[in-house]
Amino acid sequence: MLPKFDLYMPRTIQEACRLKAEGAEVVAGGTDVFVNMHGGKDRTAKVVDVKGVPELQGHTFDPERGLDLGALTTHREIELWDVIRERYPAMFEGCSRVGSVQIRTRGTLGGNICNGAPSADSIGPMLVHDAQVVVTGLKGSREVPLKEFYLGLKKLDMGPDELLTRIRIPAPPDHSGSHYIKYTRRKAMDLALLGVSAYVELDGDVLKKVRLALTTAAPVPMRAEKTEALLTGQLVSSSLLAAAGKTVLEESHPRSSWRSSAEFRLALLEELTVQALEKAIGRAKEK
């Protein structure tokens, strides 16, 4: 049973930010907050439901500017959107693997980002697609690269009065491709033991641009920038991808847990990195 709490449903961003600054727990889909409250992990006395705030609503795509996603955009909306499946395949693969259909229908991208879980399925794909987040507070708005938004475990570049309002992702050019691999022990509503996302842009057989993101491989979702640098500008070859699989081990820091040992995650990481890159390259060649 949920504990008793005061519920606020603001209609303006200013009111929502003020309530958050006063200590209210922010709820969008509620798939994390209400679970924690029900389980006794969160006993907040004030909850602010932000679904009525216009600045967090809506999602559009422009071929030149890319995606402009309100923080309230659900995983199910991403999963069913043809633009995502066609142009941002890693995002489709990530968002379609979040929980169940019911959870994807409720859970939002903004909530997934702000929850800060290192295993979040949507974040790796957004990282490799070079997402920026818009953070709005009582003094105005600012844009932050998603790769810089995580300061540590459950620590975000967001002030007490600030809310994540929008996510902006550039349009992928021709000859680009992406892929997300979620490794689980069973095909069910499992958290990822490991997640690898890859994005590439090709110039012939040369890797013009590479972005690689890891989830459940460190305290926060992360970009593997050392491995990206190794690959960028190089001719695609099996030996190069094998070297990337080795290099990524040097910059990841998985931990052991009841679900998996760190050693097992590292063994997976080397293989899954190669697989994700191969799939992304194959998709880039098809365009």
Side-chain angles (χ1 to χ4, degrees):
M1 181 178 295
L2 290 173
K4 290 184 178 180
F5 58 89
D6 294 329
L7 176 65
Y8 300 85
M9 303 182 71
R11 297 295 172 180
T12 67
I13 189 68
Q14 291 80 12
E15 184 183 3
C17 291
R18 178 182 58 78
L19 286 163
K20 181 174 181 282
E22 292 173 357
E25 188 80 53
V26 178
V27 166
T31 57
D32 289 308
V33 172
F34 288 142
V35 169
N36 289 337
M37 291 175 68
H38 183 272
K41 294 180 181 179
D42 187 344
R43 291 292 180 180
T44 184
K46 296 168 66 175
V47 170
V48 51
D49 186 328
V50 295
K51 287 192 291 293
V53 179
E55 286 86 348
L56 281 70
Q57 299 171 356
H59 51 275
T60 61
F61 172 75
D62 181 272
E64 298 296 325
R65 293 189 294 272
L67 294 169
D68 180 21
L69 308 173
L72 295 172
T73 302
T74 67
H75 297 95
R76 187 64 172 163
E77 288 173 313
I78 293 293
E79 180 183 11
L80 296 177
W81 195 0
D82 288 344
V83 165
I84 300 296
R85 189 187 290 263
E86 294 166 6
R87 293 176 175 260
Y88 303 86
M91 285 188 64
F92 166 77
E93 290 158 343
C95 290
S96 65
R97 295 293 305 277
V98 173
S100 63
V101 171
Q102 295 90 335
I103 290 172
R104 295 196 294 274
T105 300
R106 289 287 302 177
T108 65
L109 290 183
N112 209 212
I113 291 171
C114 290
N115 186 44
S119 60
D121 292 306
S122 71
I123 296 176
M126 286 191 282
L127 281 169
V128 296
H129 278 289
D130 206 24
Q132 311 276 314
V133 296
V134 178
V135 175
T136 302
L138 295 173
K139 295 182 180 180
S141 297
R142 58 193 178 92
E143 197 163 310
V144 183
L146 182 58
K147 69 175 184 176
E148 299 174 7
F149 190 60
Y150 296 101
L151 306 179
L153 181 61
K154 301 290 184 177
K155 294 181 180 178
L156 310 175
D157 183 8
M158 194 160 58
D161 68 318
E162 291 184 316
L163 292 167
L164 191 154
T165 52
R166 307 206 72 78
I167 304 133
R168 292 173 179 157
I169 305 176
D174 292 339
H175 309 298
S176 65
S178 67
H179 185 51
Y180 170 66
I181 298 176
K182 175 180 182 175
Y183 184 91
T184 59
R185 293 192 183 277
R186 58 192 185 128
K187 293 183 178 180
M189 292 185 292
D190 278 2
L191 297 176
L193 292 185
L194 191 74
V196 179
S197 303
Y199 169 91
V200 302
E201 294 176 19
L202 292 180
D203 182 2
D205 287 327
V206 174
L207 290 162
K208 181 180 177 181
K209 188 172 291 186
V210 180
R211 290 191 286 268
L212 190 67
L214 313 176
T215 43
T216 324
V220 299
M222 60 169 286
R223 285 269 298 275
E225 294 183 332
K226 182 177 179 179
T227 308
E228 293 172 358
L230 170 76
L231 294 165
T232 302
Q234 300 299 311
L235 191 69
V236 174
S237 68
S238 57
S239 60
L240 178 68
L241 299 187
K246 298 288 186 184
T247 303
V248 78
L249 302 180
E250 300 173 9
E251 50 186 335
S252 61
H253 308 284
R255 69 181 182 90
S256 293
S257 69
W258 65 270
R259 294 192 298 120
S260 174
S261 68
E263 292 77 14
F264 182 63
R265 286 191 168 109
L266 287 170
L268 280 175
L269 180 57
E270 182 176 354
E271 177 63 28
L272 296 187
T273 296
V274 175
Q275 290 182 19
L277 288 165
E278 287 176 337
K279 186 69 173 181
I281 290 166
R283 285 174 170 164
K285 289 181 176 180
E286 293 171 358
K287 292 187 177 181

